[in-house]
Amino acid sequence: MRAAGTVRTAVAALAVVGFTGCATGPSLETRSAITASPGDSSELAIGSAGFTESELLARMYAALLDHAGYRTHVLTVGNRELYEPALEAGQIDVVPEYAATFADWLNAKDNGSKAAPVASPDLGTTMAVLRRLAARRGLTVLPPGRAVDQNAFAVSAAYARKHHLKTLSDLGRAQLPVRLAAGDECVQRPFCAPGLRKKYGIDITAIDPKGVGTTPAKQAVQNGQDQLVLTTSTDATLDQFGLVLLADDKKLQNADYVLPVVNRARAGGPRATAALNRLNTVLTTADLAHLNEQVDSWRRLPADVARNYLVAKGLLPKS
């Protein structure tokens, strides 16, 4: 769910006036600003990419920073192509991101769309590359927590019971013919059909192009038309379709851990960092899936769901 109309209007104005001027990042003339001491602005703009999970994370960041004494507002911006340049320019100060995806995105921005991927399933390696790429743009990547939103594969619970499946390795060993419900790109993406065949030995016989985690894709697995569906690790609706995730036990997927990225000059100081890092002590992948469910299935407001979670975890006072 998106923010109120006034916020959307502010974002639209920001996009027209300011985003276009910062599309290529800081120039050499402003390079000294990147290496300056971390800043600590009293008023901070928190960016959200507009989908449920990003909105929830942005609302939690805002609430934690408010509690730490900052004045915050959440700006809903539709995509990374808009909010990342705004983050560099200090028009947005904090955004929720995903380690591996953001590392590859920044690398492609620096080296072109055909640049070899730099992210990997190893979190330490991915973080080292990400921090280096972000630092040259005046951005600081804060530590990741336990929550990860990455590609994941699910089967029906009945199918899992019948064939004793808990992991993707189990599915490979079972040598079952598998139709996979996914997007068209799954045919060639290394994390999808090619990776399932190579790393796990899964017999992918066909790709059913129903999209990633869509209702038709899940229904196709639910009714037995397909055996496997590509979704995400924080998918909140699997239970509704009688589906269960198979563990990626050989780590085919990249380390897409949730983390905040901040504009160093405005929100890179220890006080903001400490406030945002408090979320890492509690938030898990399962928690994030449940929060998504409350918004997407129960139709609760992201701001309310975010605050209730922080109160329940002892990170905010009850009143």
Side-chain angles (χ1 to χ4, degrees):
M1 185 176 297
R2 292 183 180 270
T6 53
V7 172
R8 285 199 296 272
T9 302
V11 173
L14 187 61
V16 172
V17 174
F19 282 14
T20 55
C22 54
T24 58
S27 66
L28 291 176
E29 288 77 14
T30 60
R31 189 66 62 183
S32 60
I34 295 177
T35 57
S37 297
D40 190 32
S41 301
S42 60
E43 185 167 351
L44 299 174
I46 317 301
S48 160
F51 59 92
T52 295
E53 186 168 293
S54 183
E55 186 76 8
L56 282 164
L57 290 164
R59 294 291 175 179
M60 286 191 278
Y61 292 172
L64 290 169
L65 289 166
D66 284 341
H67 184 60
Y70 295 90
R71 295 189 304 276
T72 69
H73 57 284
V74 175
L75 295 176
T76 303
V77 186
N79 57 60
R80 193 175 281 111
E81 286 76 10
L82 288 178
Y83 71 67
E84 190 278 332
L87 184 64
E88 291 184 33
Q91 295 164 324
I92 292 175
D93 304 304
V94 184
V95 295
E97 262 296 354
Y98 303 90
T101 296
F102 198 44
D104 280 336
W105 193 87
L106 288 178
N107 182 53
K109 187 172 182 180
D110 282 353
N111 301 305
S113 60
K114 295 184 180 180
V118 293
S120 77
D122 182 79
L123 178 59
T125 301
T126 299
M127 287 296 297
V129 174
L130 173 57
R131 283 181 165 141
R132 184 172 67 249
L133 290 167
R136 67 181 64 166
R137 294 183 171 276
L139 308 179
T140 296
V141 180
L142 300 189
R146 291 178 287 168
V148 57
D149 185 352
Q150 59 192 173
N151 297 303
F153 296 92
V155 297
S156 73
Y159 185 82
R161 286 193 300 270
K162 179 179 179 180
H163 299 289
H164 309 288
L165 307 177
K166 292 185 178 180
T167 68
L168 289 170
S169 288
D170 291 339
L171 183 56
R173 283 190 293 267
Q175 290 297 293
L176 298 164
V178 173
R179 276 176 53 92
L180 171 58
D184 290 330
E185 68 279 3
C186 183
V187 173
Q188 58 188 13
R189 293 285 174 87
F191 67 81
C192 204
L196 292 174
R197 292 188 181 105
K198 182 177 180 180
K199 180 157 283 195
Y200 287 107
I202 297 173
D203 181 18
I204 304 296
T205 60
I207 304 297
D208 187 0
K210 285 185 164 60
V212 179
T214 63
T215 293
K218 293 171 190 172
Q219 288 173 335
V221 174
Q222 182 184 39
N223 64 30
Q225 176 185 342
D226 299 331
Q227 289 73 48
L228 191 66
V229 60
L230 171 62
T231 183
T232 66
S233 57
T234 59
D235 190 324
T237 65
L238 294 178
D239 287 347
Q240 298 174 24
F241 297 91
L243 306 182
V244 295
L245 292 177
L246 296 181
D248 181 20
D249 52 309
K250 292 184 179 180
K251 296 189 175 180
L252 173 63
Q253 305 304 322
N254 283 341
D256 252 334
Y257 283 74
V258 175
L259 43 71
V261 180
V262 305
N263 178 288
R264 176 183 172 86
R266 289 184 51 81
R271 187 163 64 108
T273 297
L276 292 167
N277 282 347
R278 294 179 70 207
L279 189 60
N280 289 348
T281 65
V282 298
L283 187 65
T284 66
T285 304
D287 287 346
L288 201 47
H290 184 54
L291 296 175
N292 287 336
E293 181 182 27
Q294 291 180 57
V295 176
D296 290 338
S297 297
W298 305 356
R299 300 303 179 190
R300 294 181 177 174
L301 295 174
D304 293 341
V305 172
R307 179 169 184 81
N308 290 342
Y309 176 79
L310 295 175
V311 170
K313 294 296 183 178
L315 300 185
L316 291 182
K318 293 183 178 180
S319 57

